[in-house]
Amino acid sequence: MNHNAGQSATAAAAGPLISMRDVHKFFGALEVLRGVSLDVAPGEVLVVIGPSGSGKTTLIRTINALERIDSGSITVKGVPLAVPGPDGKTQRPSESAMRAVRSEVGMVFQRFNLFPHMTVMANVIEAPIYVRGLERAAAEERAQALLAMIGLLDKANAYPHQLSGGQQQRVAIARALAMQPEVMLFDEVTSALDPELVGEVLRTMRLLAEDGMTMVVVTHEMQFARQVAERVVVMDQGVIIEEGAPKEIFSSPKQPRTAEFLRRILHDDV
């Protein structure tokens, strides 16, 4: 599709929105990211694929400091989120840096994480009012527009338990968008959904891509990667083993591990 390829090409000349250099991350003795370097241009839709345990979720969680890295550097919109200190070890990001980055980076998780005791409307307006300082009326107006976009305006006064999983996930997307982020991160957002509900969430994500939103998407939905991504990154065992345009990756992967992964997952999809 690449609706915004021209926009991305222009934006790329201005420098990446996200820049990661030689990022390492350990959980105990296990090194889950082993020297990852990656740039994401403004307006780019980047899809990260690879087998379970390859480091995809950890990678995406480092972009908004949900996971601290052990070495390397991460910069988001010019804000250094992780930089090496004098001893070579990565310094803890300052509170102001984390706040600055998190206000510009929306994230949607596998589990919807909606506040169960609050209505859909209350879930969506919470952060813009209390974090951004938006007036309630303006926050509600923005929320109504977002709920209309995802086809759930009629559910504004419903509670999460009254919604299907697909509807909850779409509300989670609207909630992240209500902060008007520069980047949206999606971590396997369809993996907890029944198969018949996956399509409605992917449709919402397609709308965002067409609208020029910068997106980093970890997914097992290969059709989405094929049709919506501008660039596909393949991870295995904590490293990026291959990256390129979807057509290249899916039609003629260069790495045997990529070919084997795609053969396995596409066979499972049949």
Side-chain angles (χ1 to χ4, degrees):
M1 267 209 246
N2 293 0
H3 296 273
N4 52 338
Q7 177 188 351
S8 289
T10 309
L17 195 57
I18 300 167
S19 188
M20 311 177 78
R21 288 291 173 272
D22 196 24
V23 169
H24 292 257
K25 169 69 182 174
F26 287 85
F27 288 122
L30 179 66
E31 190 173 17
V32 288
L33 295 178
R34 301 189 294 136
V36 172
S37 295
L38 185 66
D39 286 337
V40 183
E44 182 175 21
V45 179
L46 178 80
V47 173
V48 184
I49 64 173
S52 295
S54 58
K56 306 183 301 292
T57 287
T58 303
L59 172 82
I60 208 170
R61 287 171 64 89
T62 64
I63 296 173
N64 65 350
L66 283 174
E67 296 290 355
R68 295 232 316 275
I69 65 173
D70 292 296
S71 64
S73 66
I74 301 176
T75 305
V76 180
K77 206 186 170 189
V79 177
L81 193 55
V83 290
D87 59 356
K89 278 282 186 189
T90 297
Q91 293 175 306
R92 181 187 170 84
S94 69
E95 285 300 321
S96 62
M98 281 202 290
R99 268 199 310 274
V101 166
R102 285 178 180 165
S103 68
E104 299 294 350
V105 178
M107 184 155 184
V108 186
F109 302 86
Q110 293 180 31
R111 296 287 169 184
F112 326 121
N113 294 344
L114 298 175
F115 297 116
H117 61 290
M118 292 166 64
T119 64
V120 164
M121 175 61 77
N123 264 283
V124 176
I125 66 174
E126 173 90 352
I129 290 174
Y130 294 105
V131 179
R132 289 278 202 212
L134 205 61
E135 292 287 335
R136 177 172 291 271
E140 287 181 352
E141 193 178 325
R142 185 184 294 174
Q144 285 173 344
L146 288 167
L147 292 174
M149 182 196 85
I150 64 170
L152 290 176
L153 187 52
D154 61 327
K155 301 291 187 185
N157 296 315
Y159 287 86
H161 73 270
Q162 297 171 309
L163 306 178
S164 71
Q167 289 171 331
Q168 289 186 58
Q169 194 59 291
R170 281 146 67 199
V171 172
I173 292 171
R175 182 178 62 176
L177 289 172
M179 287 288 283
Q180 297 189 315
E182 293 256 347
V183 185
M184 284 287 285
L185 309 177
F186 295 90
D187 181 22
E188 295 282 15
V189 295
T190 57
S191 65
L193 298 178
D194 294 332
E196 68 271 18
L197 301 176
V198 168
E200 65 190 59
V201 175
L202 294 181
R203 270 194 299 280
T204 300
M205 292 167 67
R206 278 193 177 90
L207 280 175
L208 293 183
E210 289 169 12
D211 211 30
M213 172 63 76
T214 307
M215 295 164 61
V216 182
V217 183
V218 169
T219 187
H220 276 103
E221 299 292 338
M222 295 301 120
Q223 204 56 27
F224 178 86
R226 251 198 194 111
Q227 294 175 352
V228 183
E230 291 177 84
R231 186 159 50 112
V232 174
V233 164
V234 187
M235 290 190 71
D236 192 18
Q237 298 176 3
V239 297
I240 292 172
I241 58 169
E242 188 163 357
E243 61 182 288
K247 192 173 178 192
E248 296 165 15
I249 298 292
F250 287 100
S251 303
S252 48
K254 295 180 180 67
Q255 298 294 328
R257 280 189 289 171
T258 304
E260 172 56 27
F261 166 71
L262 290 173
R263 201 164 34 243
R264 211 167 53 241
I265 199 162
L266 293 172
H267 177 73
D268 288 349
D269 282 351
V270 171

